[in-house]
Amino acid sequence: MLKIVGLNSYYGNIHVLKDVNIDISEGEIITLIGANGAGKTTTLMSISGLVPPRSGEIYFEGKPIQGMVPDKIVSLGICQVPEGRRIFPYLTVTENLDMGAFLRKDKRVVKNDMEHIFDLFPLLAERRRQAGGTLSGGEQQMLAISRALMARPRLLFLDEPSLGLAPLVIKQIFEIITKINKESNTTIFLVEQNANLALKTAHRGYVMENGRITLSDSAENLFSNEAVKKAYLGL
Amino acid sequence: MEYFFEILLGGLTRGSIYALIALGYTMVYGIIGLINFAHGEVYMIGAFTALIAASVLTLMGWNQVAIIVIASVVAVIYSSCYGFTIEKLAYKPLRRAPRLSALISAIGMSLFLQNYVLLAQTSNFLPFPNLIPEFEFLKPYQHMISSSEIVIIGTTAVVMVLLGIMIKCTKIGKAMRATAQDRDMAMLVGIDVNRVISVTFVVGSATAALGGVLVASHVGQINFYMGFIVGIKAFVAAVLGGIGSIPGAVLGGLVLGWTESFFTGYVSSDYEDVFAFLFLVFILIFRPAGILGRSETEKV
Ligand SMILES: Nc1ncnc2c1ncn2[C@@H]1O[C@H](COP(=O)(O)OP(=O)(O)OP(=O)(O)O)[C@@H](O)[C@H]1O
Ligand SMILES: [Mg+2]
């Protein structure tokens, strides 16, 4: 579904992504783990078109998408729940969800989807007229995921959804991720610091170090890999 | 008491103009964090365009109401094109550059447009016809308020309400707010941010041009420099109300208008600007982010 070949991305002169290759098939949950500053967020932003890669190819369903503007990429069905959630702080919960559905024309179905979201997250329903910035961290993460779902993505990126949340909320969020994958067959690309949880949720994983992919394998194999255990699982 | 109302209404008229222009500053600042110094020039170009259109229509023998409507529409459209082009030429290439570069580009644009009009037109004041008819029903109150003042206040009020509805309820309005709050995230939900920015410049320029036509007709003369001082004052009004905030621009404009009028009316017209600006400094000491501004610490 998504194929990245020899991707190189820079911030100014800083070479961040070095020859990155990633392959994601439809219906999978793929995780990308790595230390702080490895280049995980940059990988997502390069695919989404916010950090245009300097060389390499990105194919979505066989068509090259590198160099496309971000809104075009979203319109193909590639959506992101970015690091730090990035809720529009002064838009209400409902307006934040509206923004998620920005490119959709089927107004009535959008309305249904929103009600569905409110069924799924009753907490958000209670706060629908509240400004997004006033929600708690956990609620904001729910809202960020919901906002992305409003676009009906085919490929969903989640950048560190567990960041700064209580264990109980993290558990809930990962259940939701699994559910999204199973129920609507949404392909998921999950970036995580919490390698333990990520490898338990995902089917396959990639390990990134200093902007390079150093390992890729099934989640179970990575879980039992000595190097991964030592570096990321703290075992 | 009549004197008081006269001053109150005079201040309301001034304030309306400041508000109308302040909107453009505040909207652009909200979205791209730039003080568009060329905004006052768009207002000036609006007035010049209206003068040309009105002269042509007068020669063709059109009636007064048709002239003001058509001249305003032409001015609004023409100035919007200017606003659109200014952004594409002077600001878009610098969007990822340091703020100061874009600011200098804005000042350059402002000087360029002033001098361009100076050379293409004239350095003299040009008489501008009074396009607004005298309203019969105002006759008894003539000494307090003129027809053109009523039109200025009324037009501003209508524009404010329409703009408020646009920003609150329409899709593009929501996209504008989202872009102002987090541009990268706006891109990630599929908003064409370039388009949103263009729309902002067009809307801001349209309101400024409308202000230009109304003021020109009220004052009766225009020149290439007219946008400069009004631009500065409208900018002050935007800061006073809280830059980035639309209700703030309106409030800031009105407060500035009234401050000037009351100082002129009750103290001295010689020190109008001095007192007005002293008062503003005073307000900003207590509300550094402006009357309705959000302080940075509140930002998430
Ligand atoms: N806007 C930027 N400008 C310059 N350098 C940047 C920028 N964003 C990130 N970098 C650098 O690029 C490298 C990779 O950053 P990135 O955010 O992709 O890492 P990450 O793997 O997501 O880390 P984390 O787990 O901390 O989120 C880092 O060295 C970082 O300093
Ligand atoms: Mg990151």
Side-chain angles (χ1 to χ4, degrees):
Chain A
M1 177 175 229
L2 187 83
K3 191 175 174 70
I4 302 175
V5 187
L7 193 71
N8 286 281
S9 285
Y10 292 72
Y11 288 110
N13 293 325
I14 311 165
H15 193 173
V16 178
L17 296 187
K18 299 157 190 156
D19 212 21
V20 169
N21 298 295
I22 292 173
D23 222 324
I24 300 175
S25 307
E26 184 148 17
E28 280 190 306
I29 301 183
I30 299 292
T31 183
L32 177 65
I33 57 180
N36 287 117
K40 306 181 295 295
T41 300
T42 309
T43 305
L44 297 188
M45 290 302 179
S46 296
I47 304 168
S48 287
L50 263 80
V51 179
R54 208 170 282 184
S55 68
E57 280 113 52
I58 307 170
Y59 298 96
F60 183 63
E61 307 190 307
K63 294 194 193 75
I65 61 164
Q66 74 272 22
M68 277 188 187
V69 288
D71 49 284
K72 189 87 193 32
I73 293 172
V74 175
S75 75
L76 297 174
I78 304 179
C79 295
Q80 201 175 133
V81 179
E83 190 170 15
R85 312 182 257 276
R86 314 270 299 249
I87 294 303
F88 298 115
Y90 303 112
L91 297 191
T92 64
V93 167
T94 309
E95 286 171 336
N96 266 284
L97 294 173
D98 278 339
M99 286 299 105
F102 188 77
L103 291 174
R104 288 178 58 184
K105 304 266 183 282
D106 45 345
K107 271 193 184 162
R108 237 177 257 132
V109 192
V110 167
K111 222 174 155 89
N112 276 341
D113 284 5
M114 196 179 295
E115 288 313 314
H116 185 69
I117 295 273
F118 284 144
D119 289 341
L120 207 62
F121 302 107
L123 269 172
L124 293 183
E126 273 170 43
R127 290 167 173 60
R128 54 176 92 194
R129 267 177 271 284
Q130 207 170 310
T134 63
L135 301 186
S136 77
E139 289 161 356
Q140 287 194 11
Q141 189 64 61
M142 309 273 176
L143 179 56
I145 294 174
S146 304
R147 179 178 59 188
L149 291 180
M150 286 302 292
R152 293 212 170 173
R154 317 229 2 248
L155 173 59
L156 179 63
F157 298 163
L158 292 137
D159 196 347
E160 304 205 23
S162 71
L163 198 71
L165 301 184
L168 208 67
V169 182
I170 296 180
K171 187 163 165 278
Q172 213 180 337
I173 294 221
F174 274 75
E175 279 166 12
I176 291 163
I177 295 172
T178 314
K179 195 169 153 192
I180 294 167
N181 172 253
K182 283 218 180 88
E183 285 182 4
S184 49
N185 196 35
T186 308
T187 312
I188 289 178
F189 190 28
L190 173 67
V191 165
E192 257 302 337
Q193 292 271 341
N194 189 335
N196 189 359
L197 205 55
L199 290 174
K200 279 183 185 149
T201 311
H203 306 125
R204 287 193 301 121
Y206 289 83
V207 178
M208 182 171 255
E209 279 172 46
N210 288 322
R212 284 179 205 284
I213 299 288
T214 51
L215 264 177
S216 82
D217 210 333
S218 71
E220 298 94 67
N221 287 351
L222 286 177
F223 208 87
S224 51
N225 181 302
E226 286 307 319
V228 172
K229 268 190 188 169
K230 221 166 157 180
Y232 304 108
L233 296 170
L235 300 174
Chain B
M1 203 57 199
E2 280 208 347
Y3 186 59
F4 174 82
F5 277 111
E6 188 186 323
I7 290 174
L8 193 72
L9 291 171
L12 185 58
T13 310
R14 271 180 194 235
S16 298
I17 293 298
Y18 294 150
L20 215 45
I21 303 164
L23 279 173
Y25 281 109
T26 228
M27 284 169 68
V28 165
Y29 183 85
I31 294 227
I32 57 174
L34 170 80
I35 308 298
N36 175 18
F37 276 110
H39 190 57
E41 275 55 59
V42 172
Y43 157 90
M44 176 266 293
I45 287 170
F48 270 87
T49 313
L51 177 60
I52 295 167
S55 308
V56 172
L57 292 169
T58 310
L59 283 177
M60 288 162 62
W62 291 61
N63 78 38
Q64 205 175 3
V65 176
I67 292 179
I68 179 141
V69 171
I70 297 175
S72 305
V73 170
V74 172
V76 162
I77 292 173
Y78 195 68
S79 304
S80 300
C81 295
Y82 263 92
F84 178 88
T85 313
I86 289 169
E87 191 270 325
K88 291 280 182 253
L89 286 183
Y91 306 144
K92 193 172 173 221
L94 296 171
R95 207 171 287 158
R96 302 265 167 193
R99 289 251 172 118
L100 214 50
S101 314
L103 201 65
I104 288 169
S105 186
I107 294 172
M109 204 54 187
S110 161
L111 291 173
F112 168 78
L113 289 173
Q114 277 180 34
N115 285 289
Y116 161 70
V117 174
L118 168 68
L119 293 172
Q121 299 291 329
T122 168
S123 63
N124 297 325
F125 278 94
L126 295 173
F128 195 99
N130 186 0
L131 296 173
I132 295 159
E134 290 301 324
F135 300 133
E136 279 304 319
F137 69 90
L138 271 183
K139 279 267 156 68
Y141 312 100
Q142 225 169 24
H143 54 291
M144 272 163 55
I145 188 162
S146 68
S147 305
S148 55
E149 285 177 314
I150 281 276
V151 171
I152 288 175
I153 296 167
T155 308
T156 305
V158 170
V159 169
M160 299 296 160
V161 170
L162 289 180
L163 205 63
I165 292 172
M166 171 186 160
I167 289 186
K168 185 97 192 88
C169 305
T170 65
K171 190 161 179 173
I172 184 77
K174 283 184 205 169
M176 283 164 102
R177 283 187 285 148
T179 306
Q181 290 167 31
D182 188 337
R183 194 195 304 168
D184 285 351
M185 190 60 227
M187 291 184 189
L188 286 176
V189 296
I191 294 172
D192 180 351
V193 167
N194 285 329
R195 194 170 141 254
V196 169
I197 293 174
S198 289
V199 170
T200 307
F201 271 82
V202 165
V203 171
S205 303
T207 52
L210 205 53
V213 181
L214 293 173
V215 170
S217 171
H218 178 56
V219 177
Q221 56 178 17
I222 62 175
N223 87 337
F224 74 96
Y225 200 58
M226 66 183 277
F228 182 72
I229 194 74
V230 175
I232 295 277
K233 287 196 177 167
F235 168 56
V236 169
V239 173
L240 181 70
I243 192 134
S245 156
I246 295 207
V250 179
L251 191 62
L254 293 179
V255 169
L256 181 59
W258 274 318
T259 312
E260 285 184 356
S261 286
F262 279 102
F263 273 118
T264 314
Y266 285 105
V267 188
S268 152
S269 61
D270 298 342
Y271 294 100
E272 166 192 320
D273 289 350
V274 177
F275 281 112
F277 282 90
L278 265 182
F279 181 63
L280 303 182
V281 170
F282 189 73
I283 291 183
L284 288 176
I285 287 172
F286 290 100
R287 296 278 313 171
I291 304 172
L292 298 180
R294 301 166 176 139
S295 64
E296 285 300 318
T297 50
E298 281 174 63
K299 276 208 174 134
V300 184

